[in-house]
Amino acid sequence: WRGRCRRCSCSTSRAASSSGATTAATSPRSRPSASSPSCSTRRSGDAEVHSPVVHDGAGVSYTFIQHNNVFLLTAARQNCNAASILLFLHRLVDVFKHYFEELEEESLRDNFVVVYELLDEMMDFGYPQYTEATILSEFIKTDAYRMEVTQRPPMAVTNAVSWRSEGIRYKKNEVFLDVVESVNILVNSNGQIVRSDIIGALKMRTFLSGMPECKLGLNDRVLLEAQGRATKGKAIDLDDIKFHQCVRLTRFENDRTISFVPPDGAFDLMTYRLTTQVKPLIWVEAQVEKHSRSRIEIMVKARSQFKERSTGTNVEIEVPVPYDATNPNIRTSMGSAAYAPERDAMVWKIKSFPGGKEYMCRAEFSLPSITSEEATPEKKTPIRVKFEIPYFTVSGIQVRYLKVIEKSGYQALPWVRYITMAGEYELRLI
């Protein structure tokens, strides 16, 4: 249905339902006025950030997200799960981007027929149906002349495995599994760790024929204890586990076995979080010395605190400097460093940083001799560090086995790789 809001005359497009949520897409150029309940989430010229969920007096709940210059909005009269609605809206954005490259007002105007086709397949009577772009693209074509041809729906729409099509064939059957962990650390000026956690993800790329069944085993403490195996120093406790929809949750809850029929191509099988005390893998501290308001010297020490058999790569250390610094003179014992005035920082890059090593960087900057009496105090920006350590995990997670079973009996090659990288890694040691 397309028309104008009765209260505020904003242009809307909707996929309506009788029992559940209603989705709508609106443009900021025709942004709703404050007189409408559905439009009260945003007001023209109002910079205040509003809640993504808004209720009105008529018992209708509105949930919205913004992507570029488009708002995606749902309306529901029942007590729906807000997290599920937000997830559906983000899936809707992913599908639109798959079809239109970029989701903007112009792409919606140019592809209105396709938008209605997608909404009709993705939601029925207010309940989400198919949200996999690869499956939808098999029977909803972007070209108008193709849409006139009556096509038989793919088997993925009619069977229980909606994320994988039948009839997939590869000459070489392979599975690539990347265990990627991001380390988040915040160290205060006293050298104490204020916050530390690990965000992990199991990223897979599958090139398998047919409808394979995959089984994955980890060094999960609960599973190993249930099997009566020794867990001293070899098992980990995973928190906040989130699986891809292909994983059989009932089997995982029963015996902690990760069993699934994988989608074709790349996907995130699982994400997890560990709230544990993490030792900083790369320790950085800086000493700043000012000379008569005309010159400043900075000495930076960087030390790797992981084992010697591991090597950090693409290390980037960002050290803040005064915004009015000029004439940089930088020397390093390893790597290269340069002044980045647009970031008010000195960036030190080291391609290879072996474990147990320490490197130094000295920099000298000129400062203006005349300063304002009402000068604002300098912001104490922390030192930010980026790095990657291949073949290494902080948590100690290990893939014990990865089995691929298919009725044709072919042999698949599983490849497993471990990577640790810096997430929000900040040290206030200046």
Side-chain angles (χ1 to χ4, degrees), residues 2-74:
R2 184 183 184 188
R4 292 188 175 273
C5 177
R6 296 179 181 178
R7 303 191 183 189
C8 64
S9 299
C10 65
S11 298
T12 61
S13 61
R14 303 181 183 174
S17 63
S18 59
S19 61
T22 300
T23 61
T26 67
S27 168
R29 282 199 305 193
S30 55
R31 186 171 296 173
S33 65
S35 60
S36 171
S38 64
C39 306
S40 61
T41 56
R42 296 280 176 177
R43 294 181 173 88
S44 178
D46 188 0
E48 182 181 356
V49 177
H50 295 272
S51 169
V53 181
V54 179
H55 306 276
D56 69 352
V60 180
S61 301
Y62 301 93
T63 308
F64 76 94
I65 64 172
Q66 181 182 3
H67 183 81
N68 293 335
N69 59 349
V70 176
F71 290 91
L72 292 94
L73 172 75
T74 65

Side-chain angles (χ1 to χ4, degrees), residues 138-357:
E138 292 187 15
F139 62 99
I140 296 181
K141 307 296 183 181
T142 56
D143 296 332
Y145 71 90
R146 291 186 180 178
M147 295 178 61
E148 294 175 359
V149 180
T150 303
Q151 298 188 1
R152 180 172 175 263
M155 290 298 296
V157 176
T158 57
N159 64 13
V161 186
S162 62
W163 52 87
R164 184 179 180 90
S165 301
E166 293 187 355
I168 300 175
R169 291 289 179 267
Y170 287 101
K171 291 184 178 179
K172 189 176 183 181
N173 296 282
E174 294 180 307
V175 181
F176 298 90
L177 174 61
D178 288 345
V179 182
V180 182
E181 290 189 344
S182 298
V183 181
N184 300 326
I185 283 184
L186 177 61
V187 179
N188 63 14
S189 58
N190 297 324
Q192 299 174 342
I193 299 176
V194 179
R195 178 179 65 90
S196 68
D197 58 15
I198 302 170
I199 305 297
L202 271 61
K203 299 179 179 292
M204 294 195 72
R205 285 185 299 134
T206 60
F207 305 96
L208 300 174
S209 304
M211 298 291 285
E213 174 83 13
C214 297
K215 294 182 180 180
L216 177 67
L218 304 174
N219 57 335
D220 186 3
R221 187 182 302 277
V222 177
L223 174 61
L224 295 179
E225 290 179 353
Q227 295 177 347
R229 299 189 182 187
T231 60
K232 184 177 180 181
K234 295 183 179 180
I236 61 172
D237 296 312
L238 301 176
D239 300 327
D240 295 342
I241 302 176
K242 178 184 174 183
F243 288 109
H244 188 272
Q245 61 177 338
C246 65
V247 177
R248 295 182 174 88
L249 296 179
T250 53
R251 183 164 184 180
F252 178 79
E253 293 172 355
N254 292 335
D255 56 11
R256 306 288 286 190
T257 299
I258 303 176
S259 176
F260 57 97
V261 177
D264 186 45
F267 67 100
D268 287 354
L269 175 67
M270 164 184 158
T271 59
Y272 59 90
R273 181 174 61 89
L274 289 174
T275 54
T276 180
Q277 192 76 5
V278 180
K279 181 180 180 181
L281 299 176
I282 295 182
W283 185 265
V284 182
E285 55 186 19
Q287 294 181 355
V288 180
E289 184 176 356
K290 289 187 177 182
H291 300 275
S292 65
R293 294 188 179 181
S294 62
R295 188 166 55 91
I296 185 173
E297 289 187 18
I298 302 175
M299 185 179 68
V300 184
K301 290 183 181 180
R303 183 174 68 254
S304 57
Q305 301 189 133
F306 46 87
K307 295 182 179 179
E308 295 181 0
R309 66 169 178 260
S310 299
T311 302
T313 60
N314 300 323
V315 179
E316 182 177 304
I317 303 171
E318 182 178 311
V319 182
V321 299
Y323 70 94
D324 54 354
T326 57
N327 300 328
N329 183 13
I330 306 173
R331 302 180 303 276
T332 63
S333 60
M334 178 62 68
S336 61
Y339 175 46
E342 69 281 359
R343 295 153 64 177
D344 292 333
M346 176 184 66
V347 180
W348 182 13
K349 296 182 180 181
I350 303 174
K351 290 185 178 180
S352 179
F353 203 141
K357 296 291 185 178

